[in-house]
Amino acid sequence: MDRRFARRAWQHLETLHAVVYFAPEKKAAYDAAGLKGGWMGYFAGRAAPLGPVSAEVVTAVFYNFHPAMVRRAIPDAWAFSSPERVLEARLEIVDAALRRLLGADLGALGDAAELCLDAASRCDAAGRPLLAANAALPAPDEPHLRLWHAATMLREHRGDGHVAALVTAGLDGCEAHLTLAGTGALAEADLRPHRGWPDEDWEAARARLVERGLLDESGTLTRSGAELRAWIEDRTDDAALGPWRSLGDGASERLLMLLERPVERVLAGGGVPFPNPMGLPRPG
């Protein structure tokens, strides 16, 4: 098994996980939980497994959002609601969204859910705070929610490893966005509205990357920049392989086979937009 499997697994699991960010059901659920606005729902929903943490902690572990954007949501979210109530709302969103998107296929997820939970249980949480926080939550009873919970654990395991790679590469959150846009895989305009960095911060980050020889004046990666970005993605994939190697080639491939149909249904139902600020390409 090599890093290409980790990349394929991410594309499948991220597609399932990300319905919680784009589902129209999220507004009613987060409003009922007491949260104010879509971004407060995002930050509180993703951070809730950590408990009522500060804006500084959320900024650190999420990594690529401007601190002021986080502070507009955290810690106020914990005054309007509680992590426990937000976690309930998060599952309400996923339940409604997957029932709508998967329809009659919902009842056929049992094997995929248990296999995905098996893989997620093999993740090493050392140095991975978002994985550890989600792994401490009880797995839901219903198969589609168990699958989403496991997909979320594996997704955050990968994400924590990606942050470590970015830190090692010497890129801050804003610089990370510019190097991604510099690959041509995602337009800068698809990132800027969703991450909160003011124009002056983008331009200062661009100047730093040009000075390092990683970007040219047009915003395209130089050869050195492309090599560094490839190194980051390879290290991210390598760091994500642990649970899959532990699960084994046969079981891992079987899980991706079982996920093909639900992923296709999510895509067909518009459950995740493309392009998206996560940089997720369309699976397949």
Side-chain angles (χ1 to χ4, degrees):
M1 180 180 292
D2 61 24
R3 64 173 65 109
R4 289 173 295 180
F5 181 88
R7 175 69 41 155
R8 289 169 52 215
W10 167 64
Q11 291 175 348
H12 283 70
L13 295 168
E14 183 78 355
T15 301
L16 294 174
H17 166 80
V19 298
V20 71
Y21 305 134
F22 302 106
E25 293 89 350
K26 70 181 182 181
K27 184 180 187 308
Y30 283 145
D31 284 355
L35 301 179
K36 312 295 181 184
W39 280 111
M40 183 175 283
Y42 169 80
F43 286 114
R46 191 170 170 217
L50 295 164
V53 293
S54 67
E56 290 76 15
V57 170
V58 174
T59 300
V61 296
F62 286 22
Y63 192 72
N64 58 15
F65 291 89
H66 191 280
M69 186 176 184
V70 180
R71 287 196 297 269
R72 287 195 289 271
I74 304 293
D76 285 354
W78 314 133
F80 297 135
S81 189
S82 68
E84 294 77 15
R85 180 64 187 92
V86 172
L87 288 171
E88 292 174 0
R90 189 170 81 159
L91 283 181
E92 290 167 10
I93 295 164
V94 174
D95 183 41
L98 291 182
R99 288 182 184 278
R100 171 175 51 83
L101 291 164
L102 301 185
D105 289 339
L106 199 73
L109 298 178
D111 287 350
E114 297 313 308
L115 200 49
C116 198
L117 276 169
D118 189 359
S121 72
R122 298 167 186 267
C123 291
D124 183 353
R128 290 180 163 92
L130 283 170
L131 162 67
N134 280 277
L137 301 175
D141 293 330
E142 296 188 74
H144 63 293
L145 298 181
R146 290 171 72 80
L147 176 60
W148 184 86
H149 171 69
T152 298
M153 288 171 59
L154 288 158
R155 185 258 193 180
E156 298 294 19
H157 172 267
R158 180 188 177 85
D160 288 334
H162 186 57
V163 168
L166 291 168
V167 171
T168 303
L171 297 180
D172 65 25
C174 193
E175 292 166 350
H177 295 315
L178 282 162
T179 60
L180 177 59
T183 67
L186 189 65
E188 195 175 316
D190 293 321
L191 288 167
R192 292 180 76 149
H194 306 287
R195 295 299 182 258
W197 297 93
D199 290 347
E200 56 267 29
D201 288 332
W202 282 94
E203 296 313 313
R206 192 188 317 278
R208 292 192 298 273
L209 293 170
V210 170
E211 185 177 2
R212 287 178 64 181
L214 301 176
L215 279 186
D216 64 23
E217 295 293 341
S218 72
T220 302
L221 290 177
T222 63
R223 179 175 179 177
S224 294
E227 289 173 351
L228 181 63
R229 190 72 211 190
W231 181 91
I232 290 166
E233 298 300 334
D234 286 348
R235 297 294 78 71
T236 300
D237 290 336
D238 289 342
L241 272 176
W244 304 115
R245 284 177 171 151
S246 177
L247 187 65
D249 289 8
S252 297
E253 288 288 355
R254 180 168 182 266
L255 174 58
L256 292 199
M257 182 189 69
L258 291 171
L259 293 179
E260 285 180 2
R261 175 66 176 173
V263 166
E264 287 173 0
R265 293 296 300 270
V266 168
L267 296 176
V272 178
F274 296 91
N276 52 72
M278 302 171 298
L280 173 70
R282 185 180 291 272

